[in-house]
Amino acid sequence: MNKHLIVVTAALLMAALAACPACLAQTAPKRSAPEERQEQKDARAARITERIELVIARFDNNKERHVAAYNAAKARLKEAITELAEKGYDVTRLTADLQAWDGMFVKFAQDYATLINLLRTAEQYAPYESQGQFAAAIQQARAQLVTVRQDALDIRHYYQTVIRPDLQALKDQNPSSSPASSGT
């Protein structure tokens, strides 16, 4: 039985060795290193371009979402100011805060639009073939992204440190002693 197993194993080994040169002969001819590098570079450039398109689409969608959220917050604050003014509270500080906050929203929207435009500019250049223009455009877009993120943080920080305390200060007011209600 051992002899039979050895003979079968040897036959399989011989068949495998005989088939290997045939398999190797069927492979594609080897390309040169520069051709292979160029193909890798072209594939990488295509992936970069697709990624930029995806990022632009994401930023477009997020801009609409951010603007809608900020407009909703601004509308709630306007409504609160109107209701509090009707009840006789002094809302002059809140009105001034709202104007400053609205200016921050405008700056954010402008900076965001600039970011998207910079990304679209970068998309026009071919990676690896634009003598550094692509890289420079991407660097500008990254710097603008930092500005946009700082604008968003400033908006949140302004609400937390200025508007919210002013709203809390209204709790201490007595609307019956305010000038608007004393005239009735």
Side-chain angles (χ1 to χ4, degrees), residues 39-54 127-128:
E39 286 180 13
Q40 289 174 348
K41 200 183 254 189
D42 291 343
R44 198 175 315 129
R47 285 193 309 268
I48 289 170
T49 304
E50 289 173 11
R51 176 76 175 142
I52 289 175
E53 290 171 1
L54 178 69
Y128 305 111

Side-chain angles (χ1 to χ4, degrees), residues 77-90:
L77 186 59
K78 279 183 182 179
E79 184 179 314
I81 289 172
T82 304
E83 289 177 11
L84 291 170
E86 289 174 355
K87 292 181 181 178
Y89 287 95
D90 181 21

Side-chain angles (χ1 to χ4, degrees), residues 92-104:
T92 54
R93 287 184 70 184
L94 273 179
T95 305
D97 293 346
L98 178 62
Q99 289 176 351
W101 205 35
D102 191 38
M104 290 177 162

Side-chain angles (χ1 to χ4, degrees), residues 8 27 52 79 100 141 143 148 167 174:
V8 170
T27 61
I52 289 175
E79 184 179 314
V148 168
L167 282 170
N174 187 1

Side-chain angles (χ1 to χ4, degrees), residues 52-130:
I52 289 175
E53 290 171 1
L54 178 69
V55 167
I56 289 171
R58 188 179 72 220
F59 278 130
D60 275 335
N61 291 337
N62 286 345
K63 181 182 179 190
E64 294 170 10
R65 185 176 52 86
H66 284 298
V67 169
Y70 290 145
N71 284 335
K74 189 169 55 172
R76 284 192 309 267
L77 186 59
K78 279 183 182 179
E79 184 179 314
I81 289 172
T82 304
E83 289 177 11
L84 291 170
E86 289 174 355
K87 292 181 181 178
Y89 287 95
D90 181 21
V91 292
T92 54
R93 287 184 70 184
L94 273 179
T95 305
D97 293 346
L98 178 62
Q99 289 176 351
W101 205 35
D102 191 38
M104 290 177 162
F105 291 146
V106 170
K107 182 181 182 312
F108 172 79
Q110 290 171 344
D111 288 345
Y112 211 101
T114 302
L115 170 65
I116 293 171
N117 288 337
L118 286 172
L119 285 171
R120 286 196 173 116
T121 301
E123 186 180 31
Q124 294 173 357
Y125 299 117
Y128 305 111
E129 297 176 7
S130 61

Side-chain angles (χ1 to χ4, degrees), residues 116-170:
I116 293 171
N117 288 337
L118 286 172
L119 285 171
R120 286 196 173 116
T121 301
E123 186 180 31
Q124 294 173 357
Y125 299 117
Y128 305 111
E129 297 176 7
S130 61
Q131 290 84 24
Q133 292 172 326
F134 175 78
I138 291 296
Q139 280 302 106
Q140 287 178 336
R142 284 182 179 158
Q144 186 65 25
L145 179 60
V146 170
T147 303
V148 168
R149 287 181 176 162
Q150 187 60 48
D151 289 347
L153 285 174
D154 290 344
I155 288 171
R156 253 183 269 135
H157 186 261
Y158 189 81
Y159 178 80
Q160 292 171 349
T161 60
V162 176
I163 294 175
R164 188 179 288 167
D166 286 348
L167 282 170
Q168 294 295 325
L170 289 177

